[in-house]
Amino acid sequence: SYMLALERGWIPKGNLNDDRIVNSCHREDEGAFVCESNRDAPEDSLRAGMSYALSEEGKDPRYIYDLHGNDLYDEADTIFNEFWDSRRAQGATCDFGGVATLAETNKTHSEDYYTDDYYNVVEVNTFPLWKIIAITVAGVLVGSFVGFSLAMRFSPKFNRRVRSSAMLRPMTSSRVFRKSFGNPIELGYTGLDIDN
């Protein structure tokens, strides 16, 4: 492995704190890859790689010469992956003379694999209710003010009704209101005929 080669001095030391170096083999160590046969490899080359792996394991490789096509490639997948998986910690590669390659797996885990430990660590941040109410009230007030202002500016009928309202008379007679929304109401004004 790369790290072992560094420790033995076979490769010059560099910046070993680089995340790409530190975590380079993590997914492989976690079992995210399998060693499988190259489907484009010639059958004779495939048999040579299989024969080597089986012989190293102390198994008889003669049966592989009776296999052809998909049966041969499927058996090669099994042999290559078992050999590589059992020896990768010692530096074995998934090559077998160019007839095998690493492939990423899509593992399905049982329920035992998943634990509730993660949920004990996750902190759930909730938005406080008082903030939701405050934002809602502020939105309603701002929206009402904007709507009122627009109606006073662009709807003469609404403007007349507001200015003639007895309840709003103290507000409509103020200087700020008159400058913002139109003509002042004359003193002694009795009302408008709104129905016409």
Side-chain angles (χ1 to χ4, degrees), residues 147-149 151-153 155-173 177 181 183 185 189 192 194:
F148 178 80
S149 299
M152 287 297 289
R153 282 283 184 194
S155 175
K157 189 174 180 181
F158 180 78
N159 190 313
R160 281 193 304 268
R161 283 185 187 223
V162 169
R163 288 189 301 150
S164 65
S165 168
M167 184 174 78
L168 298 175
R169 177 73 50 137
M171 183 178 76
T172 59
S173 61
F177 187 86
F181 299 114
N183 298 331
I185 297 177
Y189 178 76
L192 294 174
I194 299 174

Side-chain angles (χ1 to χ4, degrees), residues 1-13 89-91:
S1 77
Y2 176 78
M3 299 306 283
L4 185 59
L6 274 175
E7 288 173 12
R8 293 184 179 171
W10 298 341
I11 299 174
K13 291 185 178 183
Q90 289 83 28

Side-chain angles (χ1 to χ4, degrees), residues 11-151:
I11 299 174
K13 291 185 178 183
N15 179 11
L16 298 181
N17 293 327
D18 186 354
D19 282 341
R20 291 176 297 174
I21 293 172
V22 172
N23 298 318
S24 63
C25 297
H26 179 69
R27 292 193 61 222
E28 185 178 320
D29 292 341
E30 292 292 319
F33 294 94
V34 292
C35 183
E36 62 183 31
S37 62
N38 181 350
R39 300 294 191 203
D40 296 328
E43 288 189 1
D44 289 338
S45 299
L46 199 66
R47 283 188 187 94
M50 293 168 69
S51 180
Y52 167 77
L54 289 170
S55 297
E56 287 291 313
E57 296 278 332
K59 298 177 182 174
D60 185 10
R62 287 183 284 185
Y63 78 97
I64 65 172
Y65 293 98
D66 295 332
L67 300 174
H68 300 281
N70 284 337
D71 292 336
L72 177 67
Y73 288 101
D74 292 343
E75 185 66 17
D77 289 346
T78 304
I79 292 170
F80 291 157
N81 192 55
E82 286 177 0
F83 181 86
W84 173 74
D85 196 42
S86 67
R87 288 180 164 76
R88 66 188 167 114
Q90 289 83 28
T93 61
C94 175
D95 186 64
F96 299 94
V99 296
T101 185
L102 283 179
E104 196 166 358
T105 61
N106 185 5
K107 288 191 174 185
T108 303
H109 298 287
S110 67
E111 286 185 28
D112 296 335
Y113 177 79
Y114 300 101
T115 64
D116 292 338
D117 294 342
Y118 176 75
Y119 297 105
N120 294 334
V121 175
V122 174
E123 183 179 320
V124 179
N125 293 324
T126 59
F127 206 63
L129 182 61
W130 71 269
K131 284 185 180 180
I132 294 171
I133 293 171
I135 290 171
T136 302
V137 168
V140 168
L141 291 175
V142 169
S144 298
F145 178 75
V146 169
F148 178 80
S149 299
L150 290 174

